[in-house]
Amino acid sequence: MLLEKGLPHEVTFIDLRAKPDWFLRISPMGKVPVLLVDERPVFESMVINELIEELQPKPRLLPEAPLDRAEARAWIVFANDALMPAGHKAQVALATAPREEAIKTLDPLRDLLGKIEDLLARTGGPFLLGTQFSLVDAAYVPFLRRWRAAEPWQDTPLLAGFPKLSAYTEMVLARPAVVQADPGDVGPRMRKLLVERFGPSRQP
């Protein structure tokens, strides 16, 4: 979002397995991201993104009409509270479980992806709310980047079953700000972390 808005900033990566004390002092839940503005911490992605929108309202990335804005926020909550947890569960299975067991975890995620496919059909795309990139699209980028990286682990091309969502994913992941924000090597690093945290050797 900072890149999309053209706002200068610095990025500090946090090792969540060894969180430094200074980070725990500014992140009440010990989670990333945290945005420091004039030494004041703002946490939770949805809150951070809306602050960035208010600090730099051009280009406008939330609808002006109250009902449209409420719908946009609802789809952001859908990404955070439904899609990301289901995606994480499926990614853990793809990284650590036998193929037959891993595939079973895809059904809940498939149902959620169908709802996004329906949204794209209703709005007409190419973005989730229609013709303009918005905060809703920004909220879906982390999931889409990680899922694209995880699909090859056990040859599970789930997105291919949703043509509108698949085309949308290719488009939004190629967006300049999204490319620039990509930390690189997401797939190998994510898989290594999931195996370390949830692999068979970690089971009781």
Side-chain angles (χ1 to χ4, degrees), residues 56 68 190:
Q56 177 64 287
D68 292 342
M190 181 172 64

Side-chain angles (χ1 to χ4, degrees), residues 27-98:
S27 179
M29 294 184 287
K31 294 165 56 178
V32 292
V34 177
L35 180 68
L36 282 175
V37 182
D38 297 332
E39 301 305 317
R40 296 175 61 181
V42 181
F43 52 96
E44 287 300 312
S45 296
M46 182 175 177
V47 178
I48 290 171
N49 283 350
E50 288 210 24
L51 173 64
I52 295 170
E53 171 77 355
E54 292 177 3
L55 292 175
Q56 177 64 287
K58 293 182 180 180
R60 187 173 181 86
L61 299 182
L62 270 179
E64 294 190 21
L67 183 57
D68 292 342
R69 196 160 59 247
E71 184 179 23
R73 288 183 173 125
W75 280 106
I76 292 171
V77 172
F78 179 86
N80 294 340
D81 292 1
L83 188 63
M84 292 290 278
H88 177 71
K89 184 176 181 180
Q91 288 158 10
V92 169
L94 292 179
T96 63

Side-chain angles (χ1 to χ4, degrees), residues 142-154:
F143 165 79
L144 294 172
R145 177 182 284 138
R146 294 170 194 168
W147 187 253
R148 268 292 189 232
E151 281 192 330
W153 295 348
Q154 298 213 34

Side-chain angles (χ1 to χ4, degrees), residues 90-139:
Q91 288 158 10
V92 169
L94 292 179
T96 63
R99 178 176 172 79
E100 184 175 341
E101 181 181 336
I103 288 177
K104 293 178 182 178
T105 68
L106 300 183
D107 288 341
L109 183 57
R110 185 179 288 107
D111 291 341
L112 297 174
L113 296 180
K115 297 179 188 302
I116 306 170
E117 182 83 356
D118 292 343
L119 175 65
L120 286 165
R122 177 165 61 84
T123 63
F127 297 103
L128 292 177
L129 296 187
T131 59
Q132 301 296 321
F133 182 85
S134 71
L135 287 188
V136 180
D137 301 293

